[in-house]
Amino acid sequence: AQSVSQHNHHVILSEAASLELGCNYSYGGTVNLFWYVQYPGQHLQLLLKYFSGDPLVKGIKGFEAEFIKSKFSFNLRKPSVQWSDTAEYFCAVNAPGGGNKLTFGTGTQLKVEL
Amino acid sequence: DAGVTQSPTHLIKTRGQQVTLRCSPKSGHDTVSWYQQALGQGPQFIFQYYEEEERQRGNFPDRFSGHQFPNYSSELNVNALLLGDSALYLCASSSSGFRSSEQFFGPGTRLTVL
C-alpha cells in the first residue's frame, strides 16, 4: 500500500528564513506528486505538482519542490518565508496503477513569526 | 468560474443517525472524490465517482456510500453514525482526461457526532 511520510509535524521559523519540508513516499513505481497548502480557515489549495520531466518544479507564491526518484522524496522549499506562509502543508501521492486517489501525509504545521 | 462547493458547512448529529453531504464539482470536471480528514491528520480517501458509478474505494466500511448525479454533483451518505465519524469531509473534483489525478478541493463539511 502507498504511504506518505512527512517528517516535520510542526515547524516554527522567523520571517526571511529558508524553508524545507520533507516528504517521502513508499511506492516504487511511477508516481504523480503534489503539495497542498491549507491556510487558516481556508480550503486545501494546490501549491505545486509533478507529473514528469524536470524534477525541479515551481509552484505559486515562490515555492518549489524537487523530485528525487532514488530517494523517493519530494521536498518542498522556499528561500525566504513570509508571515503569510503560516499554514498547514500536505504532501500527496498518486500512483497511476492505483487509480486516481491521492494518498496524503499527516501534514506539517508551519508558523512564521515576525 | 465557481470552484468546488460543498453543503452544509457544519453539521451536528447524534450517534446512530444518518447524514448526507453534498458536493458540486468545479466547472468542466466530471469526477468527484471524497476524503475524510480527522483532526491532526491528512485527508483519507473514501471513494471516487465517475459516470455515476463508484470507480474506486478506500478502506471505509459500507456505512459510507455515495452517489453521483448526471450533472456530476455528488452526495456522501453515512449511516449509523459513530463518534469516530466526527471529521472534516472534503470533496475534490477532477477531470477524467489528461492529468486526472490533479484534484481541486472544496471547503469541506465539518461533521460532529455527539
Side-chain angles (χ1 to χ4, degrees):
Chain A
Q2 300 173 51
S3 67
V4 180
S5 299
Q6 291 184 243
H7 317 296
N8 316 100
H9 298 292
H10 292 89
V11 174
I12 301 175
L13 295 172
S14 298
E15 268 204 329
S18 64
L19 170 72
E20 181 161 2
L21 302 182
C23 173
N24 287 90
Y25 59 92
S26 64
Y27 189 72
T30 302
V31 293
N32 299 323
L33 299 158
F34 306 85
W35 276 97
Y36 284 86
V37 59
Q38 191 167 33
Y39 297 104
Q42 297 187 26
H43 62 278
L44 274 172
Q45 299 173 39
L46 183 63
L47 200 54
L48 48 75
K49 59 197 175 190
Y50 173 81
F51 286 92
S52 63
D54 189 344
L56 184 62
V57 294
K58 296 191 183 300
I60 60 172
K61 304 185 181 186
F63 285 91
E64 63 180 30
E66 185 176 13
F67 169 53
I68 303 179
K69 189 174 182 179
S70 61
K71 295 185 178 180
F72 301 93
S73 70
F74 190 56
N75 291 354
L76 181 70
R77 300 195 292 246
K78 186 171 184 179
S80 176
V81 295
Q82 300 174 312
W83 178 80
S84 58
D85 293 325
T86 294
E88 189 154 23
Y89 293 80
F90 293 94
C91 179
V93 176
N94 165 256
N100 291 330
K101 73 173 186 180
L102 295 178
T103 301
F104 283 83
T106 52
T108 296
Q109 185 67 51
L110 171 66
K111 181 178 179 182
V112 180
E113 297 179 331
L114 295 171
Chain B
D1 176 26
V4 180
T5 60
Q6 293 186 242
S7 64
T9 307
H10 295 87
L11 207 51
I12 299 175
K13 292 286 187 178
T14 57
R15 282 178 296 176
Q17 285 189 310
Q18 178 263 345
V19 68
T20 297
L21 311 181
R22 296 176 176 82
C23 170
S24 290
K26 182 179 168 66
S27 178
H29 286 179
D30 56 7
T31 303
V32 172
S33 303
W34 287 92
Y35 293 80
Q36 180 196 66
Q37 186 178 13
L39 204 60
Q41 300 295 317
Q44 298 288 316
F45 177 77
I46 302 175
F47 43 53
Q48 184 177 85
Y49 276 83
Y50 171 67
E51 292 188 336
E52 302 179 47
E53 291 190 356
E54 183 182 292
R55 182 160 70 172
Q56 193 178 8
R57 189 179 183 91
N59 189 25
F60 280 80
D62 292 343
R63 298 186 298 108
F64 289 76
S65 63
H67 189 79
Q68 185 179 35
F69 299 94
N71 66 353
Y72 308 120
S73 67
S74 177
E75 288 182 349
L76 164 66
N77 301 292
V78 187
N79 294 322
L81 285 167
L82 303 174
L83 295 179
D85 295 331
S86 294
L88 181 67
Y89 288 85
L90 298 169
C91 172
S93 73
S94 56
S95 170
S96 59
F98 180 62
R99 295 188 173 181
S100 56
S101 60
E102 182 174 347
Q103 298 180 17
F104 294 81
F105 284 81
T109 294
R110 174 73 62 187
L111 173 64
T112 302
V113 182
L114 302 176

